[in-house]
Amino acid sequence: MQVETFSTLQEASGAVHDRAQFLAGGTILMRAVTYGDQSFDTIVRAQQVDRSIGSDAGGLRIGAGATMADVLASRDVDFLHPVARAIGGPQVRNMGTVGGNIFARNPYGDFAVALLALDAQAVMADGRTMPLGDLLATRERPGGLVQAVTIARPESGTFRFRKVSRVKPKGVSVMSIAAHLKRGDPRVVFGNMAPTPTRSVGAERALANGTDAGAIAAACSACLEGLAPADDPLATEWYRREVAPVHLKRLLEEGARY
Ligand SMILES: Cc1cc2nc3c(=O)[nH]c(=O)nc-3n(C[C@H](O)[C@H](O)[C@H](O)COP(=O)(O)OP(=O)(O)OC[C@H]3O[C@@H](n4cnc5c(N)ncnc54)[C@H](O)[C@@H]3O)c2cc1C
């Protein structure tokens, strides 16, 4: 294993290819190294990473190098605290980053589920900006490093997150659900119900005119549209399909979390 260290994320971005992986917090990557993963032979590092969190002209900006602990320490993103708190234990939250979570495969990626529900934009190291959904759809192909994500602050009471796990408090997700209940244009995103975090188009359609009991019932009936859950050691496809509407109903009926 070779390690290449660069000063900036931009320089590191140019050195990433399909056998060279970028190292952020390393909670996934270093485990792969320890297990003898042969799919890559080079680790790329950057000395300066963006772990700032704050407001900018377009809304809120979260550096890809921000850890889950950084998120929990920032009042600017208090609505994301339940999401960051649901990820791993203290050691994982101290090291695991927002950027790494975007590229984390199932059963991980809970933070990316929330970001997709918030219509996040990814700011790439080369300055390009793209919707997070597009990045998630193409993330298996190396396309440069993520510098930061931007989101608009949701109106109070409109953002919800729920993680479903068998082991409490820090088991991995059987599924996670994030909803941003914007009137007219709601977002409902499931994690671990498809290869990447995925919008539930059926639920979003049903919730477009509000969240009364009828709309919630319709959203739960239609929530599997667009999803493709897998059988894995955490749960069968059948189980995931059975319980997804139950958990969505609980998420939609519960009071605001912030
Ligand atoms: C015990 C344990 C429990 C966990 N529990 C959870 C959990 O409950 N929920 C959850 O979602 N995750 C969980 N994880 C997974 C992981 O800790 C998090 O997903 C974390 O956010 C990954 O970030 P990282 O910085 O450690 O990624 P790394 O391991 O450094 O990198 C992961 C991948 O992302 C790529 N990458 C990292 N940063 C960037 C960037 N800026 N641009 C482009 N590519 C990048 C890397 O090249 C690599 O391929 C857990 C892990 C462990 C070990």
Side-chain angles (χ1 to χ4, degrees), residues 184 186 188 199-210 215 218-219 222-223 225:
V188 178
R199 284 171 58 183
S200 166
V201 286
E204 290 181 357
R205 194 176 52 240
L207 296 169
N209 294 319
C223 74
E225 200 181 315

Side-chain angles (χ1 to χ4, degrees), residues 1-2 4 7 19 25 41 46 50 58-59 76 87 98-99 113 116 125 128 132 160 162 176 178 187 234 251:
M1 190 64 69
Q2 183 173 311
E4 295 178 358
S7 174
R19 293 198 52 82
D41 53 27
D50 184 352
D76 285 331
I87 291 175
V98 170
V113 171
L116 185 58
R128 283 175 302 140
L132 184 71
R160 314 272 172 86
R162 185 177 185 87
S176 51
R187 292 283 178 275
L234 288 168
L251 177 91

Side-chain angles (χ1 to χ4, degrees), residues 9 16 20-31 64-65 68 86-89 92-93 95-104 107-112 124 144-148 163 170-173:
L9 195 71
V16 172
Q21 294 260 355
F22 178 69
L23 176 71
T27 57
I28 296 171
L29 196 69
M30 291 314 294
R31 194 165 57 169
M68 296 304 144
I87 291 175
V92 167
R93 291 196 287 272
M95 295 301 293
T97 64
V98 170
N101 205 273
I102 293 171
F103 291 86
Y108 301 141
D110 296 317
F111 205 84
M124 307 302 288
L145 297 175
V146 178
Q147 169 109 36
K163 172 172 169 171
K170 53 182 186 176
V172 294
S173 296

Side-chain angles (χ1 to χ4, degrees), residues 22-94:
F22 178 69
L23 176 71
T27 57
I28 296 171
L29 196 69
M30 291 314 294
R31 194 165 57 169
V33 172
T34 306
Y35 285 177
D37 188 333
Q38 299 294 308
S39 67
F40 60 100
D41 53 27
T42 305
I43 289 176
V44 175
R45 297 173 61 232
Q47 286 168 324
Q48 299 156 28
V49 290
D50 184 352
R51 59 188 289 184
S52 62
I53 300 176
S55 306
D56 76 0
L60 293 166
R61 189 177 192 282
I62 307 174
T67 64
M68 296 304 144
D70 292 334
V71 170
L72 285 166
S74 166
R75 287 193 180 176
D76 285 331
V77 290
D78 53 357
F79 53 96
L80 287 170
H81 288 183
V83 187
R85 205 175 290 117
I87 291 175
Q91 298 97 325
V92 167
R93 291 196 287 272
N94 273 334

Side-chain angles (χ1 to χ4, degrees), residues 64-244:
T67 64
M68 296 304 144
D70 292 334
V71 170
L72 285 166
S74 166
R75 287 193 180 176
D76 285 331
V77 290
D78 53 357
F79 53 96
L80 287 170
H81 288 183
V83 187
R85 205 175 290 117
I87 291 175
Q91 298 97 325
V92 167
R93 291 196 287 272
N94 273 334
M95 295 301 293
T97 64
V98 170
N101 205 273
I102 293 171
F103 291 86
R105 297 191 185 156
N106 291 347
Y108 301 141
D110 296 317
F111 205 84
V113 171
L115 290 176
L116 185 58
L118 292 165
D119 278 335
Q121 297 283 318
V123 182
M124 307 302 288
D126 62 8
R128 283 175 302 140
T129 300
M130 66 169 86
L132 184 71
D134 293 356
L135 178 65
L136 288 169
T138 59
R139 71 179 179 184
E140 304 307 320
R141 281 177 272 138
L145 297 175
V146 178
Q147 169 109 36
V149 290
T150 58
I151 49 176
R153 186 180 176 86
E155 272 178 39
S156 180
T158 60
F159 177 72
R160 314 272 172 86
F161 175 79
R162 185 177 185 87
K163 172 172 169 171
V164 181
S165 59
R166 292 183 186 275
V167 180
K168 312 281 186 201
K170 53 182 186 176
V172 294
S173 296
V174 169
M175 70 185 63
S176 51
I177 317 173
H180 184 196
L181 302 172
K182 288 180 291 182
R183 201 162 180 89
D185 191 21
R187 292 283 178 275
V188 178
V189 175
F190 278 82
N192 279 308
M193 289 291 283
T196 58
T198 300
R199 284 171 58 183
S200 166
V201 286
E204 290 181 357
R205 194 176 52 240
L207 296 169
N209 294 319
T211 53
D212 59 24
I216 290 177
C220 295
S221 301
C223 74
L224 293 169
E225 200 181 315
L227 305 180
D231 274 322
D232 64 28
L234 288 168
T236 61
E237 176 190 351
W238 174 85
Y239 177 81
R240 286 193 165 96
R241 287 183 181 279
E242 289 292 309
V243 301

